[in-house]
């Protein structure tokens, strides 16, 4: 049994007492989503034979066809495309965007600068990489207001006859802003469609799935995408992504993923099918564990005097917990402490390094079963002012608790508390 200092044990008790009603609310959401998933399995008559893998062209792979139906059902969408052939979240989002956009069209992001890895997908005209701009698709974004809200004046001025797709990122990603709740996304859909009824609303749903009772496709979003090594994979799916939404747009994305004329009809699942089903079944609960962990972390770090976003008592719509530390030593101790509590790779000590594509050294804790799987407990921080550490995930609440306590313990050992 790890022994934390008495002071840390007391802070932990205080934090847990404080968050008890939040924990109850998370349990309620888990119950709702768990049943929503089970009902989708039942309606689609999921059976053992759906779990076997397919090879070659994999025509008529019932497991693949039915998982699409189950996802569509869970997300309240007309159609879904759930595939291990999506290499990452970025690949999935890119496929959705290229599926619906054509040269001369414009993509307009209304939630400010999108997630880092999408910058290269947007690219530059003539960059030769086959990015959106390289294909003659235009891109525009409207920054968020100071208070993190949508700049509606800016958006209504930016929407033009060329605007084909409106992009919305649900999660804060690694920005010090609030994430957008499903209800807020619903309002965005209404407003942009009031300005331009035929616009296609796309949502990057990464980190959001199952944190609320409803998903963006249930409030009018036309197409959305996410990663299976985040929330909906339940920590079990080994790779992949999903796209869901209106039939027409999901079909277009399928033509982009494989080839026009072929679309969703092929694609060997190899041995991935069972994990995708079982992961979806577990996802509501696992997401609940991770969200509880984030709420606990926020409460505990606030007790110590750090500023957290979201605060422990704010409504949650994604997994990410940001904590603002007082200096680089605290930030490094935080990430190294999280690593010390891992089941995998606890013996390695993360150090800041110059990662390609980043302007500042970055330090990351990741002791995961799935490489880069961020429904598993992980933490990252660019070493720069204002010294914000980001943590997300946790397959079990206890693990997150130990990770966060170990972070405090590490700070204490280094005389930083
Ligand atoms: C993780 C993430 C992505 C990209 O997913 P990768 O799997 O890292 O490529 C895109 N958008 C958001 C908001 C994310 O959290």
């Amino acid at each position: 049994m790890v022994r934390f200092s008495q002071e840390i044990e007391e802070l932990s008790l205080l934090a847990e007492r404080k968050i008890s009603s939040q924990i109850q609310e998370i349990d309620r959401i888990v119950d709702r989503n768990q049943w929503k998933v089970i009902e989708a399995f039942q309606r689609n008559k999921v059976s053992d034979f759906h779990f076997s893998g397919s090879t070659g062209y994999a025509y008529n792979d019932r497991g693949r066809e039915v998982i699409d139906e189950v996802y569509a059902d869970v997300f309240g969408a007309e159609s879904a495309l759930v595939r291990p052939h999506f290499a990452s979240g970025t690949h999935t989002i890119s496929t959705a965007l290229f599926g619906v956009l054509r040269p001369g069209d414009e993509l307009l992001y209304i939630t400010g600068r999108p997630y880092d890895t999408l910058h290269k997908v947007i690219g530059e005209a003539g960059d030769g990489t086959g990015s959106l701009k390289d294909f003659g698709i235009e891109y525009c974004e409207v920054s968020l207001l100071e208070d993190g809200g949508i700049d509606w004046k800016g958006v209504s001025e930016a929407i033009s006859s060329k605007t084909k797709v409106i992009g919305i990122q649900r999660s804060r990603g690694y920005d010090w802003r609030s994430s957008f709740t499903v209800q807020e996304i619903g309002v965005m859909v209404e407003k942009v469609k009031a300005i331009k009824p035929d616009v296609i609303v796309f949502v990057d749903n990464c980190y959001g799935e199952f944190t609320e009772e409803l998903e963006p496709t249930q409030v009018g979003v036309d197409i959305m995408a996410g990663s299976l090594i985040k929330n909906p994979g339940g920590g079990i799916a080994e790779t992949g992504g999903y796209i869901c939404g209106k039939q027409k747009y999901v079909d277009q994305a399928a033509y982009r993923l494989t080839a026009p004329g072929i679309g969703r009809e092929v694609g060997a699942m190899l041995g991935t099918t069972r994990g995708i089903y079982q992961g979806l079944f577990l996802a509501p609960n696992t997401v609940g564990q991770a969200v509880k962990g984030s709420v606990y972390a926020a409460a505990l770090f606030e007790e110590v005097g750090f500023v957290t976003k979201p605060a422990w008592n704010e409504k949650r719509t994604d997994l990410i917990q940001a904590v603002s530390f007082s200096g680089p030593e605290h930030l490094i101790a935080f990430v190294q402490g999280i690593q010390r509590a891992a089941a995998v790779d606890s013996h390695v000590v993360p150090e800041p390094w110059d990662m390609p594509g980043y302007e500042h050294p970055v330090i990351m804790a990741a002791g995961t079963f799935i490489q880069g799987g961020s429904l598993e407990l992980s933490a990252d921080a660019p070493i720069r002012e204002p010294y914000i550490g980001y943590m997300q995930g946790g397959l079990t609440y206890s693990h997150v608790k130990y990770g966060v306590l170990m972070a405090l313990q590490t700070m204490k050992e280094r005389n930083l508390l």
Side-chain angles (χ1 to χ4, degrees):
M1 190 68 195
V2 211
R3 290 200 59 92
F4 297 105
S5 76
Q6 176 140 15
E7 182 196 355
I8 291 178
E9 294 277 5
E10 278 166 16
L11 286 170
S12 175
L13 273 177
L14 267 173
E16 279 215 288
R17 221 172 283 144
K18 200 159 73 170
I19 63 174
S20 62
S21 66
Q22 258 67 23
I23 297 283
Q24 268 179 23
E25 170 61 11
I26 295 164
D27 281 331
R28 194 186 62 78
I29 295 171
V30 169
D31 286 351
R32 293 291 189 99
N33 284 329
Q34 184 68 78
W35 190 242
K36 183 177 171 186
V37 168
I38 291 174
E39 279 190 314
F41 273 58
Q42 293 182 348
R43 272 196 288 268
N44 289 285
K45 300 193 168 58
V46 174
S47 283
D48 178 65
F49 77 89
H50 290 124
F51 304 149
S52 49
S54 51
T55 58
Y57 297 128
Y59 293 129
N60 307 312
D61 176 336
R62 280 304 287 161
R64 186 190 65 214
E65 290 167 0
V66 169
I67 192 65
D68 285 349
E69 299 293 329
V70 171
Y71 259 71
D73 194 330
V74 167
F75 290 143
E78 282 176 18
S79 177
L81 182 71
V82 187
R83 293 293 182 279
H85 314 106
F86 289 120
S88 67
T90 306
H91 179 205
T92 315
I93 293 165
S94 174
T95 305
L97 294 174
F98 274 105
V100 295
L101 287 156
R102 296 292 175 271
D105 290 342
E106 184 188 78
L107 165 65
L108 171 68
Y109 251 79
I110 64 169
T111 50
R113 196 119 192 83
Y115 194 80
D116 269 50
T117 57
L118 295 172
H119 301 173
K120 291 267 164 70
V121 173
I122 294 160
E124 287 303 333
D127 65 17
T129 65
S131 63
L132 290 169
K133 284 192 182 171
D134 197 28
F135 268 100
I137 293 158
E138 289 172 44
Y139 173 77
C140 188
E141 71 193 23
V142 178
S143 301
L144 295 173
L145 297 171
E146 280 290 312
D147 67 2
I150 304 286
D151 175 1
W152 283 110
K153 186 166 171 292
V155 170
S156 57
E157 282 165 12
I159 293 180
S160 71
S161 59
K162 282 186 302 195
T163 312
K164 172 85 164 285
V165 175
I166 296 287
I168 294 170
Q169 184 178 308
R170 175 173 176 183
S171 168
R172 74 196 57 242
Y174 299 105
D175 282 329
W176 189 252
R177 65 136 165 120
S178 293
S179 301
F180 293 106
T181 63
V182 173
Q183 196 203 344
E184 287 168 331
I185 291 172
V187 172
M188 293 179 205
V189 174
E190 258 176 54
K191 288 198 178 179
V192 296
K193 297 219 171 186
I195 301 169
K196 190 163 195 255
D198 63 346
V199 87
I200 300 169
V201 180
F202 166 79
V203 167
D204 171 354
N205 203 32
C206 282
Y207 283 135
E209 300 89 353
F210 301 122
T211 56
E212 295 193 55
E213 284 172 57
L214 291 181
E215 297 294 339
T217 33
Q218 295 175 289
V219 294
V221 163
D222 298 300
I223 178 166
M224 73 178 185
S227 164
L228 297 195
I229 64 166
K230 293 180 179 173
N231 307 17
I236 303 290
E238 288 175 285
T239 187
Y242 76 89
I243 294 172
C244 66
K246 301 260 163 69
Q247 179 86 49
K248 178 179 171 201
Y249 306 137
V250 177
D251 285 347
Q252 286 178 320
Y255 291 134
R256 178 76 198 188
L257 173 64
T258 62
I262 294 173
R264 62 170 74 229
E265 305 300 324
V266 302
M269 298 294 275
L270 304 170
T272 63
T273 315
R274 180 190 308 274
I276 294 175
Y277 277 98
Q278 194 176 0
L280 179 65
F281 167 71
L282 289 172
N285 184 65
T286 313
V287 167
Q289 298 288 304
V291 175
K292 284 179 192 177
S294 290
V295 171
Y296 170 82
L300 189 73
F301 284 124
E302 189 192 272
E303 287 293 333
V304 184
F306 299 121
V307 180
T308 61
K309 210 172 176 91
W312 63 274
N313 54 357
E314 256 174 82
K315 184 174 163 62
R316 301 268 158 171
T317 189
D318 69 2
L319 300 187
I320 300 180
Q321 181 62 51
V323 185
S324 179
F325 293 101
S326 35
E329 297 83 10
H330 289 88
L331 201 53
I332 291 168
F334 161 69
V335 174
Q336 292 180 344
I338 298 270
Q339 188 84 28
R340 279 173 75 188
V344 180
D345 282 336
S346 69
H347 52 280
V348 303
V349 180
E351 294 289 347
W353 62 299
D354 289 307
M355 251 175 69
Y358 289 82
E359 282 167 41
H360 301 268
V362 176
I363 183 168
M364 291 184 173
T368 57
F369 290 89
I370 306 276
Q371 191 192 89
S374 46
L375 176 57
E376 299 186 51
L377 180 59
S378 44
D380 336 56
I383 309 293
R384 60 155 191 247
E385 282 186 280
Y387 303 115
I388 295 166
Y390 296 91
M391 56 174 278
Q392 61 273 313
L395 297 181
T396 76
Y397 174 48
S398 300
H399 177 208
V400 185
K401 266 169 62 180
Y402 278 109
V404 173
L405 290 172
M406 204 63 98
L408 281 190
Q409 181 75 21
T410 305
M411 287 177 204
K412 191 163 175 71
E413 287 165 11
R414 297 178 189 174
N415 295 316
L416 297 170
L417 285 185

